[in-house]
Amino acid sequence: MEFEVVRRDITRFPAEAIVNAANKYLEHGGGVAYAIAKAATGDVREYIRISKEAMREQIGRDHIEHGEVVVTPAMRLEKYGIKYVIHTVGPYCGGVWDEDKKEKLRKAILGALKKADELGVKSIAFPAISAGIYGCPLEEVVKTFKEVVEEFSKEAKSVERVYLVLYSEDAYRTAVETLGLL
Ligand code: ADP
């Protein structure tokens, strides 16, 4: 399995599944969640409605826990080859990083990878979950991604390529330096 760090806008990234760094109620109020909702339908409120309906069907509750994921159709994103959006929720850090945050992030990443495998997709793209509004240190988020992808590669059946998509040049540089890819 391949793990690649790229600098792109995830709403236009040609992976079969893209992951949303959602909140537990799938409200898509800001950050990458808002960007995905807007790009997928043009109407953020409509995508929130679709997401909440999918959550009730797939989880049977009005919120998700770390590790639980909800799948929604890609809608307008299909033109980039995206088939599914997988919503997952990472930890809130507010600048604090510890084993508990790491475990929650690990679950959030692994849940999305497992769902992608179940859906039979070959490629999946992640944003830097929890490294924006949720305030987790990007370096730790990036390291956790690498570890979880390595762990998952042993059991992956369909997923062949995992992308970590950074939006800004700064974030991309930090990620690449953290993983010693330069
Ligand atoms: P969280 O609340 O989990 O921290 P955010 O949406 O605030 O989620 O941010 C997660 C990461 O996604 C941040 O690093 C942010 O810069 C990045 N991001 C925001 N928009 C995009 C986008 N269009 N494509 C890729 N990454 C994005």
Side-chain angles (χ1 to χ4, degrees):
M1 221 173 71
E2 238 175 84
F3 177 55
E4 210 180 311
V5 176
V6 294
R7 186 194 166 207
R8 291 285 288 271
D9 175 349
I10 203 166
T11 67
R12 294 155 177 266
F13 190 81
E16 286 177 69
I18 64 165
V19 176
N20 179 22
N23 62 35
K24 64 193 292 193
Y25 303 109
L26 307 189
E27 293 282 359
H28 314 324
V32 73
Y34 183 87
I36 290 173
K38 181 95 183 157
T41 56
D43 178 350
V44 173
R45 278 167 55 188
E46 174 63 4
Y47 209 65
I48 293 171
R49 194 192 60 73
I50 291 167
S51 303
K52 285 178 178 284
E53 196 177 297
M55 177 156 61
R56 272 190 295 276
E57 277 168 20
Q58 294 167 35
I59 310 286
R61 253 194 271 113
D62 67 351
H63 71 277
I64 53 170
E65 305 285 350
H66 307 291
E68 291 180 331
V69 299
V70 173
V71 183
T72 53
M75 304 172 83
R76 289 186 187 176
L77 306 183
E78 275 174 12
K79 62 175 177 281
Y80 305 111
I82 300 167
K83 292 181 183 163
Y84 307 104
V85 178
I86 302 176
H87 304 266
T88 195
V89 59
Y92 174 82
C93 291
V96 177
W97 183 255
D98 57 25
E99 276 309 308
D100 175 58
K101 314 280 187 205
K102 190 179 172 105
E103 181 53 22
K104 285 175 177 159
L105 181 61
R106 199 186 76 80
K107 281 186 179 170
I109 298 167
L110 198 56
L113 286 169
K114 285 185 170 171
K115 181 57 77 177
D117 224 28
E118 222 179 281
L119 293 166
V121 304
K122 289 194 166 59
S123 53
I124 177 170
F126 284 86
I129 299 167
S130 290
I133 298 163
Y134 278 8
C136 300
L138 181 62
E139 291 85 347
E140 299 299 339
V141 169
V142 169
K143 281 191 234 165
T144 307
F145 260 98
K146 184 156 191 282
E147 288 166 22
V148 179
V149 171
E150 267 167 19
E151 177 188 339
F152 175 73
S153 68
K154 295 175 195 133
E155 62 173 85
K157 291 181 193 72
S158 138
V159 174
E160 293 170 359
R161 291 177 303 281
V162 180
Y163 299 93
L164 176 58
V165 180
L166 285 316
Y167 199 39
S168 72
E169 184 62 43
D170 260 16
Y172 173 72
R173 204 173 305 124
T174 301
V176 163
E177 280 169 9
T178 302
L179 298 179
L181 300 173
L182 272 184

